[in-house]
Amino acid sequence: LVKYFEPIKIVEVGTFIGKSTWSMAKALDELNNKSIIYTCDSSNNIIIPWKGKTKIKQFPKMTSTDMLNKIVDKIDFLSLDGRINQEDIKILSNLLHSKSIIVLDDFEGMEKGVANLFALRRMELLKNHFLIYPCKQNYLHKLGFSSHSLTAVLIPTTLIELSPQG
């Protein structure tokens, strides 16, 4: 997703051990643009040993609300792998823009991805975003993948083009 949409400013809630942060930073480095990733995790203080061109600004042992309050730039890509707080919605209303991409991890049942979607859907700015559900496991197996995905994406409808297939 990062390679496809080429965001400049990424915010990640839920660093955990930093695998997603590292993957996004690597993709940004391959795009050769001046990008930054802001990432927080309230439950740990791991420091990602990153040496690439993309800047990673970590907020260890910090809540999403505290991190978001420190960001002034508009967000192009929001990766949610942690549950956002009610206070975050107002802050995100000022940080997101009409073409922001939002990734929702753990999108099943009443896990954090679904809870985050319900919270985000109250934002007027996201009324024109379309939800792409996680790929079904049996389809992934047909494509040769042995794992599964629980990642959903909220994408602006302005970035979707439908064409008739006759």
Side-chain angles (χ1 to χ4, degrees):
L1 288 170
V2 168
K3 281 187 177 180
Y4 185 83
F5 290 110
E6 300 184 15
I8 302 297
K9 307 285 191 243
I10 294 179
V11 170
E12 177 186 43
V13 174
T15 312
F16 193 53
I17 61 171
K19 282 177 68 177
S20 295
T21 314
W22 184 282
S23 295
M24 290 187 290
K26 184 159 176 35
L28 290 170
D29 269 15
E30 290 174 17
L31 294 171
N32 291 316
N33 57 19
K34 293 192 180 217
S35 303
I36 186 167
I37 300 174
Y38 301 93
T39 185
C40 72
D41 199 304
S42 62
S43 63
N44 70 34
N45 60 355
I46 189 168
I47 301 300
I48 300 168
W50 176 251
K51 303 255 190 258
K53 295 176 283 188
T54 298
K55 184 175 180 186
I56 297 176
K57 175 73 174 140
Q58 289 187 252
F59 296 87
K61 285 284 193 184
M62 187 176 286
T63 67
S64 54
T65 306
D66 291 337
M67 176 185 69
L68 291 171
N69 275 320
K70 295 180 182 304
I71 298 171
V72 295
D73 300 323
K74 290 289 187 181
I75 300 169
D76 301 314
F77 193 95
L78 175 63
S79 178
L80 298 176
D81 194 7
R83 192 176 293 235
I84 55 174
N85 301 310
Q86 194 57 43
E87 310 92 77
D88 296 344
I89 299 304
K90 183 177 181 186
I91 303 166
L92 285 169
S93 292
N94 293 318
L95 292 175
L96 294 172
H97 56 78
S98 63
K99 291 190 178 179
S100 297
I101 308 294
I102 301 167
V103 176
L104 304 160
D105 199 21
D106 298 317
F107 196 87
E108 69 174 339
M110 281 310 296
E111 293 293 325
K112 58 190 171 191
V114 177
N116 286 337
L117 174 68
F118 281 114
L120 290 167
R121 280 296 192 197
R122 293 186 220 129
M123 293 175 57
E124 186 65 33
L125 180 67
L126 301 180
K127 295 292 184 205
N128 290 320
H129 275 60
F130 181 79
L131 178 66
I132 300 173
Y133 287 87
C135 192
K136 300 273 187 206
Q137 190 169 0
N138 60 347
Y139 185 69
L140 288 171
H141 283 268
K142 285 181 186 177
L143 295 172
F145 294 99
S146 59
S147 62
H148 66 286
S149 173
L150 295 176
T151 304
V153 182
L154 268 175
I155 184 170
T157 54
T158 56
L159 298 180
I160 299 172
E161 185 176 313
L162 300 174
S163 57
Q165 296 295 310

